[in-house]
Amino acid sequence: MKIIIAGAGEVGFHLAKLLSFESQEITLIDTNKDSLLYADNHLDIKVIKGDATSISILKDARVNTSDLVIAVTSSETTNITVCVLAKQLGAKRTIARISNTEFINHKDEVGFTKFGIDELISPEALAASEIKLLLDQSAFSDTYAFEDGALTMVGLDLSRTMAFAGKTVKEAAQIFPEIHFVPIAIQRFGTQYTIIPRGDTMLKEGDHVVFITSEGGAEELCKITGKINTDIKNVMILGGSKIGYKTARDLANSNLNIKLIEKDKNRAFDLADELPNVLVINGDGRNVDLLDEENISDMDAFIAVTGNSEINIMSSLVAKSKNVKKTIALVENMDYFELSQSIGIDTLINKKLLAANNIFRYVRRGEVVAMTKLNNMDAELLEFKVKPSSKICNKFIRDVGFPRSAIIGGVIRDDIGYIALGDFKIQEGDRVVICGLPRSIVEVEKLFL
């Protein structure tokens, strides 16, 4: 695919990096010479210095032959303008990064596609949604919902006392024949290797295992593993950023008790006016005495979303030391992100990665409805819609000839999620959730064309 990215900031560079690894033809546009120089020296892409809202610059980037234009500058006005111009100049598909979530909430009413914008994404809104889902499934370190929870991905670390530790996947299935979950990826303790499990794959103590669950599966998994899905009621949020604001607003609307700590006095007063159901405290969240005064040890969850990754990590570790059950920290540094299993914080989130995952599905062949990359694993989770022409249509899973480095996690049919085994027959209109290593994705895509 020929892809143009407007904006060489954190999201744009990260997207360009991921897409260049996929051997896509990438052109990156930005006004910042230093950002472009860094990208040009580190990535196999074309860079153009200039304003992406300039028609001549877009023509230089050959926008008329582009398959996808992604506008992810820090200005939503610029991003919207870029997409409108690109569409008029012949781009096949456009995606705009925005910060005003009203645009997403009313996109059908306004009709952004008529203007030339095919998709709107908000990294901040994605992060806030991710945090809410993590609190709903508090027993697990990572989660992702397909079709409003018809199927849900959850991840956890296996301890020695868990019933299926030391058993093969096949043996575990025989012990729990009526289960509504299936393992789809394993990261061995102390390694960076990702394993797509088969029947003879051993589940070992210390493994980080990712499961797909249908309705009720998460609860079953909690019972079997001894994990507790804590009823989250009291939440402390550190940082009144856009993510902090959106998270506080959404959680307060769910009748949770929210305390939000913001260092900047003016910002704290603004947040107090905008969030009447949230207790806003003006103070420095790095101050342990302040956290104690605000009864951090009585909190069920602590969420650190300041603009500083180190502050978020350290304050979350303090919260963990005060026996807060669930800690979530926003990090921008990908090196920190990859240490999430060993740092001691329950979950690290990264808005660049969330935005990239959301955009990535438009690059995949076949009708990809949703996609995410597994945290700290070299694997992708994709949801494909089955078309009449798909090779997988009207076939039993056992007869498909699936690559060994990929697995079907589940199938959504008529809004109901199923854990699909070999005797399950795929039908037109099904939404099939696949987990696969990068080397298998091209082969998997061919089954859904």
Side-chain angles (χ1 to χ4, degrees):
M1 288 179 73
K2 186 178 186 309
I3 302 170
I4 296 172
I5 300 173
E10 291 178 335
V11 176
F13 177 80
H14 188 64
L15 264 175
K17 181 180 177 181
L18 290 176
L19 293 170
S20 67
F21 289 162
E22 298 270 320
S23 301
Q24 308 291 349
E25 185 183 341
I26 310 297
T27 301
L28 183 62
I29 304 173
D30 200 285
T31 55
N32 189 308
K33 183 179 179 181
D34 293 336
S35 296
L36 288 179
L37 185 62
Y38 185 82
D40 195 27
N41 290 336
H42 289 80
L43 305 175
D44 183 20
I45 62 173
K46 179 183 177 183
V47 299
I48 297 177
K49 183 181 180 299
D51 184 350
T53 60
S54 163
I55 293 174
S56 60
I57 290 290
L58 289 173
K59 285 185 174 180
D60 286 346
R62 296 189 294 136
V63 68
N64 61 312
T65 62
S66 64
D67 298 296
L68 179 63
V69 173
I70 307 168
V72 287
T73 73
S74 57
S75 165
E76 71 180 0
T77 305
T78 298
N79 297 336
I80 290 170
T81 304
V82 169
C83 288
V84 171
L85 291 173
K87 196 74 169 188
Q88 295 301 316
L89 293 170
K92 291 179 183 174
R93 193 172 189 89
T94 61
I95 301 173
R97 172 188 178 179
I98 53 99
S99 55
N100 185 349
T101 51
E102 274 192 333
F103 291 162
I104 294 176
N105 298 335
H106 300 283
K107 66 178 182 179
D108 294 331
E109 181 184 344
V110 175
F112 281 95
T113 52
K114 291 183 289 188
F115 305 144
I117 304 168
D118 295 307
E119 201 66 44
L120 298 167
I121 65 157
S122 166
E124 293 79 15
L126 290 170
S129 298
E130 175 86 351
I131 290 168
K132 190 172 187 306
L133 183 58
L134 284 164
L135 294 185
D136 290 340
Q137 299 288 353
S138 61
F140 306 104
S141 58
D142 36 60
T143 59
Y144 188 86
F146 294 92
E147 306 302 320
D148 296 324
L151 291 174
T152 304
M153 178 272 286
V154 297
L156 54 79
D157 296 328
L158 288 189
S159 66
R160 187 179 56 225
T161 56
M162 292 183 183
F164 40 67
K167 293 181 171 58
T168 64
V169 171
K170 188 175 181 180
E171 288 170 343
Q174 290 169 347
I175 298 172
F176 312 109
E178 299 300 321
I179 55 177
H180 299 91
F181 58 84
V182 63
I184 56 168
I186 300 171
Q187 184 179 35
R188 289 286 185 226
F189 179 71
T191 75
Q192 293 297 314
Y193 298 117
T194 301
I195 300 169
I196 301 298
R198 295 294 170 187
D200 58 354
T201 303
M202 184 74 73
L203 298 166
K204 298 180 180 180
E205 177 189 353
D207 285 351
H208 183 72
V209 185
V210 176
F211 297 86
I212 285 289
T213 69
S214 57
E215 187 177 358
E219 289 76 14
E220 289 179 1
L221 207 48
C222 284
K223 289 177 185 175
I224 293 169
T225 60
K227 295 276 186 180
I228 299 173
N229 235 345
T230 308
D231 185 20
I232 303 291
K233 196 66 183 171
N234 301 309
V235 179
M236 183 178 286
I237 299 172
L238 178 62
S241 61
K242 289 177 182 177
I243 296 174
Y245 167 77
K246 289 179 174 62
T247 301
R249 182 195 61 193
D250 294 347
L251 295 179
N253 289 340
S254 299
N255 295 319
L256 300 186
N257 300 321
I258 310 299
K259 287 185 179 181
L260 191 155
I261 300 176
E262 168 55 40
K263 187 178 180 181
D264 182 87
K265 187 176 182 179
N266 292 330
R267 177 63 175 160
F269 275 110
D270 289 341
L271 288 167
D273 290 337
E274 295 173 30
L275 299 168
N277 297 324
V278 174
L279 176 59
V280 180
I281 298 151
N282 176 219
D284 190 341
R286 294 173 296 181
N287 187 330
V288 178
D289 289 336
L290 172 65
L291 296 178
D292 284 332
E293 285 173 18
E294 297 303 330
N295 303 315
I296 188 171
S297 57
D298 294 335
M299 296 294 124
D300 299 311
F302 181 86
I303 303 164
V305 287
T306 74
N308 186 301
S309 298
E310 288 81 2
I311 290 175
N312 294 339
I313 289 171
M314 294 308 297
S315 59
S316 295
L317 289 173
V318 169
K320 205 66 182 174
S321 73
K322 302 290 184 180
N323 297 318
V324 176
K325 301 177 187 76
K326 186 75 173 179
T327 53
I328 301 170
L330 175 73
V331 295
E332 296 299 329
N333 189 317
M334 294 300 288
D335 294 330
Y336 292 160
F337 189 68
E338 291 167 3
L339 294 171
S340 62
Q341 299 305 317
S342 58
I343 285 177
I345 299 167
D346 293 312
T347 308
L348 300 180
I349 59 172
N350 181 285
K351 63 183 181 183
K352 291 182 290 186
L353 199 56
L354 291 171
N357 287 345
N358 198 267
I359 291 170
F360 232 80
R361 58 193 169 110
Y362 299 104
V363 179
R364 292 285 173 230
R365 297 168 68 207
E367 192 167 342
V368 178
V369 184
M371 183 209 149
T372 186
K373 284 179 175 289
L374 299 183
N375 289 355
N376 301 327
M377 288 190 178
D378 190 25
E380 294 179 16
L381 199 55
L382 302 105
E383 179 187 351
F384 288 95
K385 187 173 181 180
V386 179
K387 298 182 287 189
S389 59
S390 301
K391 292 180 182 178
I392 201 171
C393 189
N394 296 320
K395 285 189 177 181
F396 291 102
I397 289 176
R398 62 171 174 262
D399 299 328
V400 172
F402 231 65
R404 283 194 63 83
S405 53
I407 187 172
I408 292 180
V411 175
I412 300 170
R413 180 179 294 167
D414 299 326
D415 297 324
I416 298 173
Y418 300 90
I419 300 301
L421 303 177
D423 58 353
F424 191 97
K425 191 174 185 179
I426 303 296
Q427 298 178 4
E428 178 189 348
D430 284 351
R431 293 172 184 248
V432 182
V433 175
I434 306 285
C435 182
L437 302 183
R439 65 175 180 269
S440 69
I441 300 301
V442 172
E443 197 173 341
V444 168
E445 287 172 339
K446 292 176 183 176
L447 297 171
F448 293 91
L449 293 176

